[in-house]
Amino acid sequence: MKKLFVFIFCFLIVGASFAVEKPTVLVLDQSGQDNLEAQKVINKITEKVLNSSRFGVYQKEQIAAKQREAGFPQIMDSDGYDYQKLSELMDLQVIILCKVDKNVREITKKKSGGNNSGALWMYGFIFPPLFLLANSGEKTYTVNINEYLVSLKMIDAATQKVIAQENFSGSDLSKLDQASERLYLALLRNYQVEGSIISQEKELIYVDLGKRSGIARGDIVDVYRPGLSLSDETITTPEKYGELEVVEALEDSSVCRLVPYRTVGSMRKGDIVKIIPLESLSVVDQARRQPKETTRPLGMGEAFIGEAVGPELLKYNPAGLGQVADSELALGWELKYSSASLSIPNANLGYPGLKNFYGNFVENPLCPNDFSVIVPTERGGLGLNVKVDNTRIKNEFFQYDNGGMKVGLYAGTAIHPKVMVGLGLIYTDQWIGIHNGNSYEFRGSGLAGQIGILARPTENLGLGGRVDLPANINGKLVRSSASLGSQDFSYTDQASLGLGVSYKLFNRLVLNLDLLDYCNASLYDVRLGAEFKCSDNLTFRLGSGNRFARLPNLAADPNYPNGANFRTNTYSAGVGLAVGSLTFDLAGEYEVLREGNFILYPDFAAGSPVRTLLTGYKDARIKFSTGVKF
């Protein structure tokens, strides 16, 4: 730390000699008359620009002083000021012209009755002709209303081109604040201060722009490679390759840090920098510059409600769409292996060594079962996720299928640079089949909703919440037996509340804790995850958690246990790799039954106590995902 302060001190002494001054602005009144309203407009705009500390501001009164210093040069022509000569005299970059026209409009109004009109109205009920006298007391009077027409024009002093213009009219100047704000933002966007990198020390970058240049803490610094001379007449355009964030603004220089996920290549002394003032960015643009990780492995124990980024965020918290800066597409594959021991106590039957493979699209694990795409928009981001899954358990006695497809549409935005919200609409198409002599098949569909929120109070802390609104699945239960036929059937998924926290313990280690299905108030729904970042492109994750499941009573069996719940412990590990615009994720998960009473195929005869009890269960899954940024 001492070394750093010594370096900064020495750097200030050297840097002061070539400090870049902030742009200068002149505010002129073109009203052609002295009126208080015009002065109010000029004062308002001057105050707005001056208080930002990003520009030097002159007013008309200072022109004469500058003329005296320069020996009274000619700065007027037949149309008024010669803006080019004026800009040279005062070293101006911008001239703001204000014109306020005031019109007085008379409005005639009527006022009924005199001093005795009330009495005449009262006695008029006794003697009706008095009503005429009461109305004859009506008087007219005039009211003067001031109407203003305000014109604001911002001109580039060197080229005399109009950069921005604002016009509004009305009986008051209430629209001046909004017009001044738009004019000021146009000023920020059009006059980026340029400088260069003068030194680098590890992750800190030093630039020759400071408070005197109008720079402030939190500003974004775009970094460009200087253009190369290809011939005596051709020079290539500087190319942006990275971003910095100002962490400390000194008088003539600034200390910045690298924004790694928005930088390709290494910083070099002499590279060009341009300042993007923080207030010129929209809320969404500011949120997109919150710290994010570059890799997104799947081996996360589903402990990422607290902080979600990239295509994977669609599975955890749609609010994360508010900080997506690039279009991304991801495909996921999942291969499963399961084993179980089953028993039917009242039938004295058991299957201690039941094993099976089951995959997606019934028995085709080569097809991706998970597809995600996200697209940033001006106000946030949009996302689409399609997931297909099918579980098949089959032996010589029965076959059980449970699968479906979910199509989710999501949207997210930032309502504050550190607070994002998101919504999701999920269509579910569910199928369940049980075949043990007679065949029972159910297929139905329904819509569910999702609400998410993410907050980043500090750079190291992420907080999140997600509410899953249940879907009502409506469909047909079809039975192979002619005597049983088919019937309408429906069931409702459970609602759930997820709460999460993500904390960066130190620069490369992030810990995550999620409470899922919190509506059940169960400690079994706690999930933990840890992420260790080996480099900017390589990340490892470990996770441990528990899964809660509830199956619907398709047979409407009165003896079916309430909820048919089971709980499992899950352990996961994964690795993620980013190569340019590509990401690759590989993860393994192992799930084992902790407790449960899981019915696979009840006897559909009403009142029958026959059921299958799952007494042992193990599930191993390998997940692979690949994504690309556009």
Side-chain angles (χ1 to χ4, degrees):
M1 183 62 69
K2 182 178 180 181
K3 180 181 177 181
L4 175 61
F5 280 113
V6 171
F7 181 86
I8 293 176
F9 177 76
C10 297
F11 159 71
L12 286 176
I13 296 175
V14 177
S17 61
F18 50 83
V20 180
E21 295 289 345
K22 64 183 71 174
T24 52
V25 180
L26 173 66
V27 184
L28 288 177
D29 179 12
Q30 278 195 323
S31 300
Q33 55 183 343
D34 292 330
N35 61 63
L36 294 177
E37 288 75 16
Q39 194 58 47
K40 285 181 181 178
V41 172
I42 291 175
N43 291 343
K44 190 74 175 180
I45 295 174
T46 301
E47 180 183 10
K48 177 69 179 177
V49 178
L50 193 60
N51 287 346
S52 71
S53 300
R54 297 189 183 276
F55 299 91
V57 182
Y58 293 110
Q59 294 190 55
K60 183 179 179 180
E61 293 77 11
Q62 296 172 274
I63 297 177
K66 285 287 185 179
Q67 277 188 299
R68 285 194 299 271
E69 293 176 8
F72 295 97
Q74 180 65 34
I75 58 172
M76 305 292 289
D77 57 24
S78 58
D79 296 325
Y81 285 110
D82 185 324
Y83 296 133
Q84 187 171 358
K85 292 180 178 179
L86 186 60
S87 65
E88 293 173 356
L89 172 69
M90 305 188 72
D91 190 22
L92 293 173
Q93 279 74 48
V94 189
I95 298 174
I96 298 178
L97 303 177
C98 304
K99 186 176 181 181
V100 180
D101 291 326
K102 177 181 177 182
N103 295 318
V104 180
R105 185 160 59 97
E106 289 188 352
I107 297 179
T108 302
K109 293 188 175 183
K110 293 183 179 181
K111 182 178 180 181
S112 61
N115 295 332
N116 298 323
S117 60
L120 293 173
W121 271 98
M122 181 178 66
Y123 291 113
F125 289 101
I126 301 173
F127 186 60
L130 292 178
F131 283 125
L132 299 176
L133 295 176
N135 291 330
S136 67
E138 192 174 74
K139 296 182 179 181
T140 61
Y141 64 99
T142 59
V143 177
N144 292 333
I145 295 180
N146 296 327
E147 291 186 341
Y148 304 102
L149 178 62
V150 180
S151 174
L152 304 174
K153 189 182 298 183
M154 187 161 66
I155 297 176
D156 183 271
T159 64
Q160 300 186 35
K161 291 183 178 179
V162 177
I163 302 165
Q165 189 165 356
E166 292 287 336
N167 298 302
F168 64 90
S169 60
S171 58
D172 57 42
L173 299 176
S174 59
K175 298 178 182 179
L176 180 59
D177 289 341
Q178 294 89 340
S180 298
E181 182 67 24
R182 289 193 293 268
L183 208 67
Y184 174 67
L185 291 177
L187 189 62
L188 290 176
R189 287 191 291 266
N190 283 276
Y191 290 92
Q192 293 180 323
V193 180
E194 288 192 21
S196 62
I197 295 176
I198 57 176
S199 185
Q200 180 176 3
E201 187 176 284
K202 295 183 179 179
E203 295 183 357
L204 296 179
I205 314 292
Y206 301 90
V207 300
D208 61 351
L209 301 174
K211 293 180 181 178
R212 288 177 57 185
S213 307
I215 198 170
R217 181 179 180 181
D219 285 350
I220 302 300
V221 181
D222 284 345
V223 188
Y224 296 80
R225 294 270 187 244
L228 300 176
S229 177
L230 303 180
S231 67
D232 293 338
E233 299 179 355
T234 306
I235 297 179
T236 60
T237 304
E239 180 181 358
K240 177 183 173 181
Y241 72 90
E243 283 189 12
L244 305 173
E245 181 185 359
V246 178
V247 295
E248 185 176 1
L250 307 171
E251 190 64 28
D252 295 311
S253 58
S254 294
V255 184
C256 307
R257 66 179 173 188
L258 188 70
V259 182
Y261 53 88
R262 299 182 72 89
T263 301
V264 180
S266 58
M267 303 284 168
R268 298 184 304 189
K269 182 179 179 180
D271 284 354
I272 300 170
V273 296
K274 293 183 180 181
I275 303 302
I276 302 178
L278 188 63
E279 61 264 42
S280 69
L281 300 174
S282 67
V283 172
V284 172
D285 284 335
Q286 293 182 48
R288 285 172 177 165
R289 284 169 169 81
Q290 294 294 321
K292 297 187 285 291
E293 304 304 326
T294 53
T295 59
R296 292 174 290 274
L298 291 174
M300 54 183 65
E302 296 191 19
F304 276 78
I305 288 181
E307 180 181 3
V309 293
E312 296 298 321
L313 61 84
L314 297 179
K315 305 173 188 177
Y316 301 102
N317 198 321
L321 284 165
Q323 58 181 347
V324 172
D326 301 300
S327 296
E328 299 185 41
L329 181 148
L331 293 174
W333 290 261
E334 185 172 348
L335 181 64
K336 308 178 185 179
Y337 173 79
S338 210
S339 66
S341 59
L342 307 177
S343 64
I344 307 177
N346 58 341
N348 294 319
L349 296 175
Y351 308 96
L354 178 65
K355 293 184 178 181
N356 70 287
F357 284 91
Y358 55 94
N360 306 296
F361 295 105
V362 184
E363 293 181 338
N364 189 4
L366 297 179
C367 294
N369 72 309
D370 200 306
F371 169 79
S372 296
V373 60
I374 57 176
V375 179
T377 65
E378 182 180 353
R379 299 183 181 274
L382 299 175
L384 168 69
N385 177 250
V386 179
K387 184 173 178 61
V388 180
D389 193 21
N390 188 81
T391 299
R392 169 167 289 183
I393 298 178
K394 182 179 181 180
N395 63 16
E396 58 182 307
F397 299 103
F398 70 93
Q399 177 178 312
Y400 169 73
D401 289 288
N402 185 355
M405 178 176 68
K406 290 189 176 182
V407 180
L409 296 175
Y410 303 88
T413 189
I415 58 175
H416 182 273
K418 295 185 177 181
V419 179
M420 289 154 286
V421 296
L423 298 173
L425 184 65
I426 301 100
Y427 170 79
T428 299
D429 185 18
Q430 187 78 24
W431 59 80
I432 300 176
I434 302 172
H435 310 277
N436 61 330
N438 289 325
S439 176
Y440 303 87
E441 295 183 350
F442 169 77
R443 184 161 189 170
S445 60
L447 288 175
Q450 194 175 94
I451 302 172
I453 184 169
L454 284 173
R456 294 295 300 271
T458 69
E459 182 178 324
N460 295 331
L461 180 64
L463 302 174
R466 187 188 70 203
V467 177
D468 293 312
L469 305 176
N472 189 40
I473 308 297
N474 297 291
K476 286 278 187 181
L477 179 64
V478 180
R479 314 178 187 193
S480 60
S481 173
S483 60
L484 296 176
S486 65
Q487 67 181 70
D488 293 332
F489 187 85
S490 65
Y491 69 93
T492 302
D493 281 345
Q494 67 182 52
S496 66
L497 168 66
L499 302 173
V501 58
S502 174
Y503 184 73
K504 183 177 288 187
L505 193 61
F506 53 86
N507 191 39
R508 296 188 180 275
L509 180 62
V510 179
L511 302 179
N512 295 273
L513 168 65
D514 284 348
L515 300 176
L516 300 179
D517 299 324
Y518 192 67
C519 291
N520 299 302
S522 170
L523 294 178
Y524 284 104
D525 302 317
V526 176
R527 297 181 185 179
L528 302 170
E531 171 186 282
F532 183 74
K533 187 176 181 181
C534 297
S535 67
D536 289 341
N537 299 320
L538 182 63
T539 305
F540 291 95
R541 285 192 177 107
L542 294 174
S544 176
N546 298 272
R547 187 165 69 95
F548 169 85
R550 173 180 294 167
L551 293 183
N553 183 2
L554 294 179
D557 184 352
N559 296 306
Y560 198 81
N562 184 20
N565 303 333
F566 74 93
R567 304 178 188 277
T568 63
N569 286 346
T570 303
Y571 308 93
S572 63
V575 59
L577 176 66
V579 181
S581 60
L582 299 176
T583 60
F584 302 94
D585 303 327
L586 180 64
E589 288 188 349
Y590 178 71
E591 185 176 24
V592 60
L593 180 72
R594 183 179 179 90
E595 61 180 27
N597 187 11
F598 179 47
I599 293 183
L600 292 178
Y601 66 107
D603 187 337
F604 286 100
S608 169
V610 176
R611 60 189 28 71
T612 298
L613 176 67
L614 180 64
T615 57
Y617 169 81
K618 295 178 182 178
D619 194 1
R621 296 180 290 270
I622 296 176
K623 298 181 179 181
F624 175 74
S625 175
T626 182
V628 61
K629 295 182 179 181
F630 297 97

